[in-house]
Amino acid sequence: MKKVLTLILAALAFTLAGAEKVRLWEGDAPLAKGKDSCDIPTLEIYLPPNTGKRTPAVIICPGGAYSGLAYAHEGTNYAKFLNQHGIAGFVLRYRTGSKKNGSYRYPAPQLDAKRAIRLVRANAKKWNVNSDLVGIMGSSAGGHLAAMTAVKNDFGDEKSADVVERKSSRPNFAILCYAQTSMDKRYGECCGSRANLIGGTDVKIEDVAAYRFVNEDTPPCFVWHTFADSSVPVRNALDFVNALEANKIPFALHIYYDGRHGLGLGNQHPWANELIFWLKEIGVLRK
């Protein structure tokens, strides 16, 4: 089995300029519409210095209204920040809904996110990752993807011929940065995310309202937002943490008074230090 897994993971890997990138699937991804770059979801791998101990890992979902991806601002920058604290960062290039990017609709992005978690766990030894400390992180629409993955996942199919699919897609923790947690009409136009995710399909708004699916198996969550965010209103955070509290799921909530949507790391914004404190609180990092 180990030999088979090694061969599969080797076939998935390919190197581009910069950090190593891997395809999520060896062949076509489920629901693939072609063979262009927009049809091939990938992970870009950022590993911290090897200390001999397996590190926590975070799958990072950049925002972009499910149209494109703020890949550097809410992706690679986060990965490099996490590396500074001994955490492996895996930036997910998931499929999105704009016409130029293949017009992918739900559930394609979520299939990509769940596969990313499985792939990291399947490759834990190679990447020196603790498979019991794999989280997911996202901003804006990427936060919606992270939230949906936190509440809708599975423990893998142990009978699958694909060894990656045998791994759990449940994250051990979730980090939601000014995240959309619903596509509800109460939230206005949702920055176009609603149309890009479910437009022209039979999927109902309720089917992609992450807060509605919070349950006792939802992992601990770190949630931050700003009151001034006019693009993704703060009620997204409040709806989600209210559901967490109702289900007795541990969480940290930080609502800042000012700050535009899409802050990212934003000139050393305090949320980043609060995140590291929380990761120590829940035992992901050592105090």
Side-chain angles (χ1 to χ4, degrees):
M1 182 184 296
K2 290 183 178 179
K3 184 176 181 181
V4 173
L5 177 58
T6 300
L7 290 173
I8 289 175
L9 294 175
L12 286 168
F14 63 95
T15 303
L16 299 178
E20 180 189 8
K21 293 185 181 181
V22 296
R23 296 173 62 136
L24 297 187
W25 284 272
E26 180 180 359
D28 291 341
L31 307 179
K33 299 180 180 182
K35 297 185 181 296
D36 293 331
S37 60
C38 65
D39 303 302
I40 305 172
T42 63
L43 278 180
E44 187 167 9
I45 305 165
Y46 289 83
L47 302 178
N50 190 338
T51 62
K53 297 180 180 179
R54 295 204 178 188
T55 68
V58 175
I59 310 299
I60 303 167
C61 308
Y66 281 115
S67 174
L69 298 176
Y71 197 80
H73 181 57
E74 296 169 346
T76 57
N77 286 352
Y78 286 178
K80 293 172 184 178
F81 168 76
L82 293 172
N83 281 178
Q84 293 173 10
H85 296 276
I87 302 170
F90 296 82
V91 185
L92 175 61
R93 186 176 293 279
Y94 57 92
R95 289 170 288 177
T96 56
S98 62
K99 187 175 180 179
K100 69 177 182 178
N101 287 323
S103 299
Y104 283 98
R105 299 288 186 263
Y106 178 84
Q110 193 174 0
L111 293 176
D112 297 346
K114 292 196 295 184
R115 178 71 176 191
I117 293 172
R118 298 189 213 278
L119 187 62
V120 168
R121 288 197 166 115
N123 226 347
K125 184 176 181 180
K126 176 182 178 182
W127 293 328
N128 197 38
V129 163
N130 185 335
S131 61
D132 293 325
L133 294 176
V134 178
I136 193 165
M137 175 181 192
S139 302
S140 192
H144 177 265
L145 179 56
M148 286 292 290
T149 307
V151 299
K152 299 191 75 173
N153 49 65
D154 62 78
F155 292 101
D157 179 3
E158 62 181 15
K159 297 180 180 179
S160 176
D162 181 348
V163 294
V164 176
E165 288 298 311
R166 299 175 193 171
K167 301 297 183 179
S168 171
S169 65
R170 179 188 180 274
N172 298 107
F173 55 94
I175 303 163
L176 308 183
C177 311
Y178 42 89
Q180 292 180 257
T181 64
S182 173
M183 297 294 164
D184 196 301
K185 292 180 180 178
R186 294 179 301 137
Y187 297 75
E189 292 302 315
C190 301
C191 303
S193 295
R194 183 168 62 238
N196 287 322
L197 184 64
I198 61 174
T201 73
D202 294 330
V203 179
K204 298 178 181 178
I205 291 173
E206 293 80 6
D207 295 334
V208 291
Y211 72 90
R212 291 170 57 89
F213 298 100
V214 173
N215 57 53
E216 64 275 9
D217 290 324
T218 301
C221 297
F222 179 93
V223 183
W224 77 272
H225 220 105
T226 67
F227 181 78
D229 192 332
S230 59
S231 298
V232 176
V234 70
R235 69 182 65 169
N236 282 271
L238 300 179
D239 281 350
F240 196 78
V241 297
N242 282 338
L244 292 172
E245 191 279 330
N247 285 274
K248 297 181 171 55
I249 303 301
F251 67 88
L253 171 64
H254 296 272
I255 304 295
Y256 301 98
Y257 172 70
D258 200 13
R260 61 175 177 81
H261 183 69
L263 273 174
L265 289 172
N267 296 322
Q268 299 181 334
H269 194 281
W271 77 266
N273 288 330
E274 295 287 359
L275 170 62
I276 299 305
F277 180 82
W278 178 75
L279 290 173
K280 292 178 181 178
E281 280 191 312
I282 66 171
V284 172
L285 292 174
R286 291 188 176 185
K287 294 184 178 181

mmCIF file with all atom_site columns, all heavy atoms in Angstrom, residues 77-100:
data_model
loop_
_atom_site.group_PDB
_atom_site.id
_atom_site.type_symbol
_atom_site.label_atom_id
_atom_site.label_alt_id
_atom_site.label_comp_id
_atom_site.label_asym_id
_atom_site.label_entity_id
_atom_site.label_seq_id
_atom_site.pdbx_PDB_ins_code
_atom_site.Cartn_x
_atom_site.Cartn_y
_atom_site.Cartn_z
_atom_site.occupancy
_atom_site.B_iso_or_equiv
_atom_site.pdbx_formal_charge
_atom_site.auth_seq_id
_atom_site.auth_comp_id
_atom_site.auth_asym_id
_atom_site.auth_atom_id
_atom_site.pdbx_PDB_model_num
ATOM 1   N N   . ASN A 1 77  ? 0.677   35.128 1.047   1.00 0.00 ? 77  ASN A N   1
ATOM 2   C CA  . ASN A 1 77  ? 1.081   35.963 2.186   1.00 0.00 ? 77  ASN A CA  1
ATOM 3   C C   . ASN A 1 77  ? 0.720   35.290 3.518   1.00 0.00 ? 77  ASN A C   1
ATOM 4   O O   . ASN A 1 77  ? 1.484   35.334 4.480   1.00 0.00 ? 77  ASN A O   1
ATOM 5   C CB  . ASN A 1 77  ? 0.417   37.335 2.107   1.00 0.00 ? 77  ASN A CB  1
ATOM 6   C CG  . ASN A 1 77  ? 1.020   38.219 1.038   1.00 0.00 ? 77  ASN A CG  1
ATOM 7   O OD1 . ASN A 1 77  ? 2.041   37.877 0.440   1.00 0.00 ? 77  ASN A OD1 1
ATOM 8   N ND2 . ASN A 1 77  ? 0.401   39.356 0.774   1.00 0.00 ? 77  ASN A ND2 1
ATOM 9   N N   . TYR A 1 78  ? -0.463  34.681 3.562   1.00 0.00 ? 78  TYR A N   1
ATOM 10  C CA  . TYR A 1 78  ? -0.867  33.958 4.764   1.00 0.00 ? 78  TYR A CA  1
ATOM 11  C C   . TYR A 1 78  ? 0.065   32.769 5.006   1.00 0.00 ? 78  TYR A C   1
ATOM 12  O O   . TYR A 1 78  ? 0.457   32.498 6.148   1.00 0.00 ? 78  TYR A O   1
ATOM 13  C CB  . TYR A 1 78  ? -2.289  33.439 4.619   1.00 0.00 ? 78  TYR A CB  1
ATOM 14  C CG  . TYR A 1 78  ? -3.396  34.470 4.719   1.00 0.00 ? 78  TYR A CG  1
ATOM 15  C CD1 . TYR A 1 78  ? -4.723  34.076 4.563   1.00 0.00 ? 78  TYR A CD1 1
ATOM 16  C CD2 . TYR A 1 78  ? -3.137  35.807 4.966   1.00 0.00 ? 78  TYR A CD2 1
ATOM 17  C CE1 . TYR A 1 78  ? -5.757  34.999 4.648   1.00 0.00 ? 78  TYR A CE1 1
ATOM 18  C CE2 . TYR A 1 78  ? -4.160  36.737 5.047   1.00 0.00 ? 78  TYR A CE2 1
ATOM 19  C CZ  . TYR A 1 78  ? -5.475  36.328 4.890   1.00 0.00 ? 78  TYR A CZ  1
ATOM 20  O OH  . TYR A 1 78  ? -6.502  37.235 4.979   1.00 0.00 ? 78  TYR A OH  1
ATOM 21  N N   . ALA A 1 79  ? 0.387   32.049 3.939   1.00 0.00 ? 79  ALA A N   1
ATOM 22  C CA  . ALA A 1 79  ? 1.239   30.868 4.079   1.00 0.00 ? 79  ALA A CA  1
ATOM 23  C C   . ALA A 1 79  ? 2.596   31.243 4.672   1.00 0.00 ? 79  ALA A C   1
ATOM 24  O O   . ALA A 1 79  ? 3.118   30.562 5.562   1.00 0.00 ? 79  ALA A O   1
ATOM 25  C CB  . ALA A 1 79  ? 1.414   30.189 2.730   1.00 0.00 ? 79  ALA A CB  1
ATOM 26  N N   . LYS A 1 80  ? 3.171   32.330 4.190   1.00 0.00 ? 80  LYS A N   1
ATOM 27  C CA  . LYS A 1 80  ? 4.471   32.761 4.692   1.00 0.00 ? 80  LYS A CA  1
ATOM 28  C C   . LYS A 1 80  ? 4.379   33.216 6.143   1.00 0.00 ? 80  LYS A C   1
ATOM 29  O O   . LYS A 1 80  ? 5.299   32.967 6.937   1.00 0.00 ? 80  LYS A O   1
ATOM 30  C CB  . LYS A 1 80  ? 5.013   33.880 3.803   1.00 0.00 ? 80  LYS A CB  1
ATOM 31  C CG  . LYS A 1 80  ? 5.358   33.407 2.390   1.00 0.00 ? 80  LYS A CG  1
ATOM 32  C CD  . LYS A 1 80  ? 5.704   34.564 1.468   1.00 0.00 ? 80  LYS A CD  1
ATOM 33  C CE  . LYS A 1 80  ? 5.958   34.087 0.043   1.00 0.00 ? 80  LYS A CE  1
ATOM 34  N NZ  . LYS A 1 80  ? 6.239   35.219 -0.876  1.00 0.00 ? 80  LYS A NZ  1
ATOM 35  N N   . PHE A 1 81  ? 3.276   33.850 6.504   1.00 0.00 ? 81  PHE A N   1
ATOM 36  C CA  . PHE A 1 81  ? 3.071   34.237 7.901   1.00 0.00 ? 81  PHE A CA  1
ATOM 37  C C   . PHE A 1 81  ? 2.981   32.999 8.793   1.00 0.00 ? 81  PHE A C   1
ATOM 38  O O   . PHE A 1 81  ? 3.610   32.929 9.855   1.00 0.00 ? 81  PHE A O   1
ATOM 39  C CB  . PHE A 1 81  ? 1.800   35.078 8.036   1.00 0.00 ? 81  PHE A CB  1
ATOM 40  C CG  . PHE A 1 81  ? 1.352   35.275 9.451   1.00 0.00 ? 81  PHE A CG  1
ATOM 41  C CD1 . PHE A 1 81  ? 1.994   36.166 10.288  1.00 0.00 ? 81  PHE A CD1 1
ATOM 42  C CD2 . PHE A 1 81  ? 0.281   34.543 9.964   1.00 0.00 ? 81  PHE A CD2 1
ATOM 43  C CE1 . PHE A 1 81  ? 1.593   36.340 11.614  1.00 0.00 ? 81  PHE A CE1 1
ATOM 44  C CE2 . PHE A 1 81  ? -0.135  34.707 11.276  1.00 0.00 ? 81  PHE A CE2 1
ATOM 45  C CZ  . PHE A 1 81  ? 0.523   35.600 12.105  1.00 0.00 ? 81  PHE A CZ  1
ATOM 46  N N   . LEU A 1 82  ? 2.210   32.010 8.364   1.00 0.00 ? 82  LEU A N   1
ATOM 47  C CA  . LEU A 1 82  ? 2.073   30.784 9.151   1.00 0.00 ? 82  LEU A CA  1
ATOM 48  C C   . LEU A 1 82  ? 3.409   30.070 9.285   1.00 0.00 ? 82  LEU A C   1
ATOM 49  O O   . LEU A 1 82  ? 3.723   29.519 10.350  1.00 0.00 ? 82  LEU A O   1
ATOM 50  C CB  . LEU A 1 82  ? 1.041   29.870 8.507   1.00 0.00 ? 82  LEU A CB  1
ATOM 51  C CG  . LEU A 1 82  ? -0.409  30.374 8.522   1.00 0.00 ? 82  LEU A CG  1
ATOM 52  C CD1 . LEU A 1 82  ? -1.293  29.470 7.672   1.00 0.00 ? 82  LEU A CD1 1
ATOM 53  C CD2 . LEU A 1 82  ? -0.952  30.470 9.937   1.00 0.00 ? 82  LEU A CD2 1
ATOM 54  N N   . ASN A 1 83  ? 4.213   30.074 8.230   1.00 0.00 ? 83  ASN A N   1
ATOM 55  C CA  . ASN A 1 83  ? 5.537   29.452 8.279   1.00 0.00 ? 83  ASN A CA  1
ATOM 56  C C   . ASN A 1 83  ? 6.390   30.043 9.387   1.00 0.00 ? 83  ASN A C   1
ATOM 57  O O   . ASN A 1 83  ? 7.167   29.331 10.044  1.00 0.00 ? 83  ASN A O   1
ATOM 58  C CB  . ASN A 1 83  ? 6.265   29.624 6.953   1.00 0.00 ? 83  ASN A CB  1
ATOM 59  C CG  . ASN A 1 83  ? 5.830   28.653 5.867   1.00 0.00 ? 83  ASN A CG  1
ATOM 60  O OD1 . ASN A 1 83  ? 6.329   28.717 4.740   1.00 0.00 ? 83  ASN A OD1 1
ATOM 61  N ND2 . ASN A 1 83  ? 4.906   27.748 6.169   1.00 0.00 ? 83  ASN A ND2 1
ATOM 62  N N   . GLN A 1 84  ? 6.255   31.338 9.612   1.00 0.00 ? 84  GLN A N   1
ATOM 63  C CA  . GLN A 1 84  ? 7.037   32.004 10.658  1.00 0.00 ? 84  GLN A CA  1
ATOM 64  C C   . GLN A 1 84  ? 6.718   31.452 12.042  1.00 0.00 ? 84  GLN A C   1
ATOM 65  O O   . GLN A 1 84  ? 7.513   31.599 12.973  1.00 0.00 ? 84  GLN A O   1
ATOM 66  C CB  . GLN A 1 84  ? 6.774   33.506 10.629  1.00 0.00 ? 84  GLN A CB  1
ATOM 67  C CG  . GLN A 1 84  ? 7.283   34.205 9.385   1.00 0.00 ? 84  GLN A CG  1
ATOM 68  C CD  . GLN A 1 84  ? 6.838   35.660 9.331   1.00 0.00 ? 84  GLN A CD  1
ATOM 69  O OE1 . GLN A 1 84  ? 6.303   36.200 10.297  1.00 0.00 ? 84  GLN A OE1 1
ATOM 70  N NE2 . GLN A 1 84  ? 7.050   36.300 8.190   1.00 0.00 ? 84  GLN A NE2 1
ATOM 71  N N   . HIS A 1 85  ? 5.560   30.824 12.166  1.00 0.00 ? 85  HIS A N   1
ATOM 72  C CA  . HIS A 1 85  ? 5.129   30.286 13.460  1.00 0.00 ? 85  HIS A CA  1
ATOM 73  C C   . HIS A 1 85  ? 5.125   28.755 13.461  1.00 0.00 ? 85  HIS A C   1
ATOM 74  O O   . HIS A 1 85  ? 4.476   28.128 14.304  1.00 0.00 ? 85  HIS A O   1
ATOM 75  C CB  . HIS A 1 85  ? 3.746   30.840 13.807  1.00 0.00 ? 85  HIS A CB  1
ATOM 76  C CG  . HIS A 1 85  ? 3.745   32.319 13.997  1.00 0.00 ? 85  HIS A CG  1
ATOM 77  N ND1 . HIS A 1 85  ? 4.087   32.923 15.197  1.00 0.00 ? 85  HIS A ND1 1
ATOM 78  C CD2 . HIS A 1 85  ? 3.485   33.323 13.124  1.00 0.00 ? 85  HIS A CD2 1
ATOM 79  C CE1 . HIS A 1 85  ? 4.019   34.238 15.056  1.00 0.00 ? 85  HIS A CE1 1
ATOM 80  N NE2 . HIS A 1 85  ? 3.660   34.508 13.818  1.00 0.00 ? 85  HIS A NE2 1
ATOM 81  N N   . GLY A 1 86  ? 5.862   28.172 12.510  1.00 0.00 ? 86  GLY A N   1
ATOM 82  C CA  . GLY A 1 86  ? 6.018   26.728 12.506  1.00 0.00 ? 86  GLY A CA  1
ATOM 83  C C   . GLY A 1 86  ? 4.837   25.959 11.957  1.00 0.00 ? 86  GLY A C   1
ATOM 84  O O   . GLY A 1 86  ? 4.646   24.780 12.295  1.00 0.00 ? 86  GLY A O   1
ATOM 85  N N   . ILE A 1 87  ? 4.051   26.593 11.102  1.00 0.00 ? 87  ILE A N   1
ATOM 86  C CA  . ILE A 1 87  ? 2.868   25.960 10.525  1.00 0.00 ? 87  ILE A CA  1
ATOM 87  C C   . ILE A 1 87  ? 3.052   25.850 9.015   1.00 0.00 ? 87  ILE A C   1
ATOM 88  O O   . ILE A 1 87  ? 3.450   26.819 8.362   1.00 0.00 ? 87  ILE A O   1
ATOM 89  C CB  . ILE A 1 87  ? 1.593   26.776 10.821  1.00 0.00 ? 87  ILE A CB  1
ATOM 90  C CG1 . ILE A 1 87  ? 1.414   26.943 12.337  1.00 0.00 ? 87  ILE A CG1 1
ATOM 91  C CG2 . ILE A 1 87  ? 0.358   26.111 10.204  1.00 0.00 ? 87  ILE A CG2 1
ATOM 92  C CD1 . ILE A 1 87  ? 0.328   27.940 12.710  1.00 0.00 ? 87  ILE A CD1 1
ATOM 93  N N   . ALA A 1 88  ? 2.758   24.678 8.463   1.00 0.00 ? 88  ALA A N   1
ATOM 94  C CA  . ALA A 1 88  ? 2.816   24.485 7.016   1.00 0.00 ? 88  ALA A CA  1
ATOM 95  C C   . ALA A 1 88  ? 1.585   25.110 6.372   1.00 0.00 ? 88  ALA A C   1
ATOM 96  O O   . ALA A 1 88  ? 0.460   24.926 6.845   1.00 0.00 ? 88  ALA A O   1
ATOM 97  C CB  . ALA A 1 88  ? 2.883   23.000 6.685   1.00 0.00 ? 88  ALA A CB  1
ATOM 98  N N   . GLY A 1 89  ? 1.795   25.871 5.297   1.00 0.00 ? 89  GLY A N   1
ATOM 99  C CA  . GLY A 1 89  ? 0.686   26.503 4.587   1.00 0.00 ? 89  GLY A CA  1
ATOM 100 C C   . GLY A 1 89  ? 0.531   25.908 3.195   1.00 0.00 ? 89  GLY A C   1
ATOM 101 O O   . GLY A 1 89  ? 1.519   25.747 2.470   1.00 0.00 ? 89  GLY A O   1
ATOM 102 N N   . PHE A 1 90  ? -0.694  25.595 2.832   1.00 0.00 ? 90  PHE A N   1
ATOM 103 C CA  . PHE A 1 90  ? -1.000  25.008 1.525   1.00 0.00 ? 90  PHE A CA  1
ATOM 104 C C   . PHE A 1 90  ? -2.049  25.885 0.846   1.00 0.00 ? 90  PHE A C   1
ATOM 105 O O   . PHE A 1 90  ? -3.222  25.886 1.247   1.00 0.00 ? 90  PHE A O   1
ATOM 106 C CB  . PHE A 1 90  ? -1.519  23.581 1.679   1.00 0.00 ? 90  PHE A CB  1
ATOM 107 C CG  . PHE A 1 90  ? -0.516  22.633 2.271   1.00 0.00 ? 90  PHE A CG  1
ATOM 108 C CD1 . PHE A 1 90  ? -0.328  22.563 3.646   1.00 0.00 ? 90  PHE A CD1 1
ATOM 109 C CD2 . PHE A 1 90  ? 0.260   21.827 1.455   1.00 0.00 ? 90  PHE A CD2 1
ATOM 110 C CE1 . PHE A 1 90  ? 0.598   21.696 4.209   1.00 0.00 ? 90  PHE A CE1 1
ATOM 111 C CE2 . PHE A 1 90  ? 1.201   20.959 2.007   1.00 0.00 ? 90  PHE A CE2 1
ATOM 112 C CZ  . PHE A 1 90  ? 1.364   20.891 3.377   1.00 0.00 ? 90  PHE A CZ  1
ATOM 113 N N   . VAL A 1 91  ? -1.638  26.643 -0.153  1.00 0.00 ? 91  VAL A N   1
ATOM 114 C CA  . VAL A 1 91  ? -2.542  27.587 -0.808  1.00 0.00 ? 91  VAL A CA  1
ATOM 115 C C   . VAL A 1 91  ? -3.332  26.852 -1.888  1.00 0.00 ? 91  VAL A C   1
ATOM 116 O O   . VAL A 1 91  ? -2.756  26.268 -2.813  1.00 0.00 ? 91  VAL A O   1
ATOM 117 C CB  . VAL A 1 91  ? -1.769  28.769 -1.420  1.00 0.00 ? 91  VAL A CB  1
ATOM 118 C CG1 . VAL A 1 91  ? -2.758  29.792 -1.987  1.00 0.00 ? 91  VAL A CG1 1
ATOM 119 C CG2 . VAL A 1 91  ? -0.868  29.418 -0.369  1.00 0.00 ? 91  VAL A CG2 1
ATOM 120 N N   . LEU A 1 92  ? -4.642  26.904 -1.762  1.00 0.00 ? 92  LEU A N   1
ATOM 121 C CA  . LEU A 1 92  ? -5.525  26.168 -2.651  1.00 0.00 ? 92  LEU A CA  1
ATOM 122 C C   . LEU A 1 92  ? -5.986  27.038 -3.820  1.00 0.00 ? 92  LEU A C   1
ATOM 123 O O   . LEU A 1 92  ? -6.579  28.094 -3.617  1.00 0.00 ? 92  LEU A O   1
ATOM 124 C CB  . LEU A 1 92  ? -6.748  25.682 -1.872  1.00 0.00 ? 92  LEU A CB  1
ATOM 125 C CG  . LEU A 1 92  ? -7.853  24.978 -2.675  1.00 0.00 ? 92  LEU A CG  1
ATOM 126 C CD1 . LEU A 1 92  ? -7.323  23.716 -3.341  1.00 0.00 ? 92  LEU A CD1 1
ATOM 127 C CD2 . LEU A 1 92  ? -9.047  24.667 -1.783  1.00 0.00 ? 92  LEU A CD2 1
ATOM 128 N N   . ARG A 1 93  ? -5.699  26.580 -5.019  1.00 0.00 ? 93  ARG A N   1
ATOM 129 C CA  . ARG A 1 93  ? -6.257  27.204 -6.219  1.00 0.00 ? 93  ARG A CA  1
ATOM 130 C C   . ARG A 1 93  ? -7.484  26.365 -6.606  1.00 0.00 ? 93  ARG A C   1
ATOM 131 O O   . ARG A 1 93  ? -7.381  25.356 -7.297  1.00 0.00 ? 93  ARG A O   1
ATOM 132 C CB  . ARG A 1 93  ? -5.238  27.244 -7.356  1.00 0.00 ? 93  ARG A CB  1
ATOM 133 C CG  . ARG A 1 93  ? -5.722  28.018 -8.586  1.00 0.00 ? 93  ARG A CG  1
ATOM 134 C CD  . ARG A 1 93  ? -4.643  28.121 -9.662  1.00 0.00 ? 93  ARG A CD  1
ATOM 135 N NE  . ARG A 1 93  ? -3.519  28.939 -9.246  1.00 0.00 ? 93  ARG A NE  1
ATOM 136 C CZ  . ARG A 1 93  ? -3.494  30.272 -9.288  1.00 0.00 ? 93  ARG A CZ  1
ATOM 137 N NH1 . ARG A 1 93  ? -4.555  30.943 -9.726  1.00 0.00 ? 93  ARG A NH1 1
ATOM 138 N NH2 . ARG A 1 93  ? -2.421  30.924 -8.893  1.00 0.00 ? 93  ARG A NH2 1
ATOM 139 N N   . TYR A 1 94  ? -8.613  26.778 -6.105  1.00 0.00 ? 94  TYR A N   1
ATOM 140 C CA  . TYR A 1 94  ? -9.853  26.039 -6.352  1.00 0.00 ? 94  TYR A CA  1
ATOM 141 C C   . TYR A 1 94  ? -10.581 26.608 -7.571  1.00 0.00 ? 94  TYR A C   1
ATOM 142 O O   . TYR A 1 94  ? -10.300 27.712 -8.032  1.00 0.00 ? 94  TYR A O   1
ATOM 143 C CB  . TYR A 1 94  ? -10.758 26.066 -5.118  1.00 0.00 ? 94  TYR A CB  1
ATOM 144 C CG  . TYR A 1 94  ? -11.134 27.450 -4.609  1.00 0.00 ? 94  TYR A CG  1
ATOM 145 C CD1 . TYR A 1 94  ? -12.286 28.095 -5.022  1.00 0.00 ? 94  TYR A CD1 1
ATOM 146 C CD2 . TYR A 1 94  ? -10.314 28.105 -3.668  1.00 0.00 ? 94  TYR A CD2 1
ATOM 147 C CE1 . TYR A 1 94  ? -12.628 29.342 -4.543  1.00 0.00 ? 94  TYR A CE1 1
ATOM 148 C CE2 . TYR A 1 94  ? -10.648 29.361 -3.183  1.00 0.00 ? 94  TYR A CE2 1
ATOM 149 C CZ  . TYR A 1 94  ? -11.811 29.983 -3.631  1.00 0.00 ? 94  TYR A CZ  1
ATOM 150 O OH  . TYR A 1 94  ? -12.145 31.229 -3.153  1.00 0.00 ? 94  TYR A OH  1
ATOM 151 N N   . ARG A 1 95  ? -11.508 25.848 -8.096  1.00 0.00 ? 95  ARG A N   1
ATOM 152 C CA  . ARG A 1 95  ? -12.230 26.257 -9.294  1.00 0.00 ? 95  ARG A CA  1
ATOM 153 C C   . ARG A 1 95  ? -13.281 27.317 -8.966  1.00 0.00 ? 95  ARG A C   1
ATOM 154 O O   . ARG A 1 95  ? -13.941 27.249 -7.921  1.00 0.00 ? 95  ARG A O   1
ATOM 155 C CB  . ARG A 1 95  ? -12.856 25.036 -9.962  1.00 0.00 ? 95  ARG A CB  1
ATOM 156 C CG  . ARG A 1 95  ? -11.818 24.124 -10.611 1.00 0.00 ? 95  ARG A CG  1
ATOM 157 C CD  . ARG A 1 95  ? -12.400 22.811 -11.047 1.00 0.00 ? 95  ARG A CD  1
ATOM 158 N NE  . ARG A 1 95  ? -12.700 21.947 -9.905  1.00 0.00 ? 95  ARG A NE  1
ATOM 159 C CZ  . ARG A 1 95  ? -13.275 20.752 -10.003 1.00 0.00 ? 95  ARG A CZ  1
ATOM 160 N NH1 . ARG A 1 95  ? -13.623 20.278 -11.189 1.00 0.00 ? 95  ARG A NH1 1
ATOM 161 N NH2 . ARG A 1 95  ? -13.501 20.022 -8.920  1.00 0.00 ? 95  ARG A NH2 1
ATOM 162 N N   . THR A 1 96  ? -13.423 28.282 -9.855  1.00 0.00 ? 96  THR A N   1
ATOM 163 C CA  . THR A 1 96  ? -14.307 29.416 -9.611  1.00 0.00 ? 96  THR A CA  1
ATOM 164 C C   . THR A 1 96  ? -15.299 29.610 -10.758 1.00 0.00 ? 96  THR A C   1
ATOM 165 O O   . THR A 1 96  ? -15.234 28.933 -11.782 1.00 0.00 ? 96  THR A O   1
ATOM 166 C CB  . THR A 1 96  ? -13.491 30.700 -9.386  1.00 0.00 ? 96  THR A CB  1
ATOM 167 O OG1 . THR A 1 96  ? -12.626 30.917 -10.510 1.00 0.00 ? 96  THR A OG1 1
ATOM 168 C CG2 . THR A 1 96  ? -12.646 30.603 -8.113  1.00 0.00 ? 96  THR A CG2 1
ATOM 169 N N   . GLY A 1 97  ? -16.218 30.573 -10.553 1.00 0.00 ? 97  GLY A N   1
ATOM 170 C CA  . GLY A 1 97  ? -17.399 30.635 -11.392 1.00 0.00 ? 97  GLY A CA  1
ATOM 171 C C   . GLY A 1 97  ? -17.437 31.635 -12.520 1.00 0.00 ? 97  GLY A C   1
ATOM 172 O O   . GLY A 1 97  ? -18.427 31.674 -13.266 1.00 0.00 ? 97  GLY A O   1
ATOM 173 N N   . SER A 1 98  ? -16.401 32.470 -12.684 1.00 0.00 ? 98  SER A N   1
ATOM 174 C CA  . SER A 1 98  ? -16.444 33.417 -13.796 1.00 0.00 ? 98  SER A CA  1
ATOM 175 C C   . SER A 1 98  ? -16.292 32.670 -15.117 1.00 0.00 ? 98  SER A C   1
ATOM 176 O O   . SER A 1 98  ? -15.734 31.573 -15.174 1.00 0.00 ? 98  SER A O   1
ATOM 177 C CB  . SER A 1 98  ? -15.336 34.462 -13.666 1.00 0.00 ? 98  SER A CB  1
ATOM 178 O OG  . SER A 1 98  ? -14.061 33.847 -13.716 1.00 0.00 ? 98  SER A OG  1
ATOM 179 N N   . LYS A 1 99  ? -16.783 33.262 -16.178 1.00 0.00 ? 99  LYS A N   1
ATOM 180 C CA  . LYS A 1 99  ? -16.746 32.603 -17.486 1.00 0.00 ? 99  LYS A CA  1
ATOM 181 C C   . LYS A 1 99  ? -15.321 32.290 -17.908 1.00 0.00 ? 99  LYS A C   1
ATOM 182 O O   . LYS A 1 99  ? -15.021 31.202 -18.431 1.00 0.00 ? 99  LYS A O   1
ATOM 183 C CB  . LYS A 1 99  ? -17.430 33.486 -18.534 1.00 0.00 ? 99  LYS A CB  1
ATOM 184 C CG  . LYS A 1 99  ? -17.589 32.818 -19.885 1.00 0.00 ? 99  LYS A CG  1
ATOM 185 C CD  . LYS A 1 99  ? -18.382 33.698 -20.837 1.00 0.00 ? 99  LYS A CD  1
ATOM 186 C CE  . LYS A 1 99  ? -18.550 33.015 -22.197 1.00 0.00 ? 99  LYS A CE  1
ATOM 187 N NZ  . LYS A 1 99  ? -19.349 33.857 -23.131 1.00 0.00 ? 99  LYS A NZ  1
ATOM 188 N N   . LYS A 1 100 ? -14.400 33.241 -17.670 1.00 0.00 ? 100 LYS A N   1
ATOM 189 C CA  . LYS A 1 100 ? -13.013 33.020 -18.094 1.00 0.00 ? 100 LYS A CA  1
ATOM 190 C C   . LYS A 1 100 ? -12.331 31.921 -17.295 1.00 0.00 ? 100 LYS A C   1
ATOM 191 O O   . LYS A 1 100 ? -11.302 31.383 -17.716 1.00 0.00 ? 100 LYS A O   1
ATOM 192 C CB  . LYS A 1 100 ? -12.214 34.316 -17.994 1.00 0.00 ? 100 LYS A CB  1
ATOM 193 C CG  . LYS A 1 100 ? -11.964 34.790 -16.574 1.00 0.00 ? 100 LYS A CG  1
ATOM 194 C CD  . LYS A 1 100 ? -11.108 36.053 -16.565 1.00 0.00 ? 100 LYS A CD  1
ATOM 195 C CE  . LYS A 1 100 ? -10.819 36.517 -15.147 1.00 0.00 ? 100 LYS A CE  1
ATOM 196 N NZ  . LYS A 1 100 ? -9.952  37.724 -15.133 1.00 0.00 ? 100 LYS A NZ  1
#
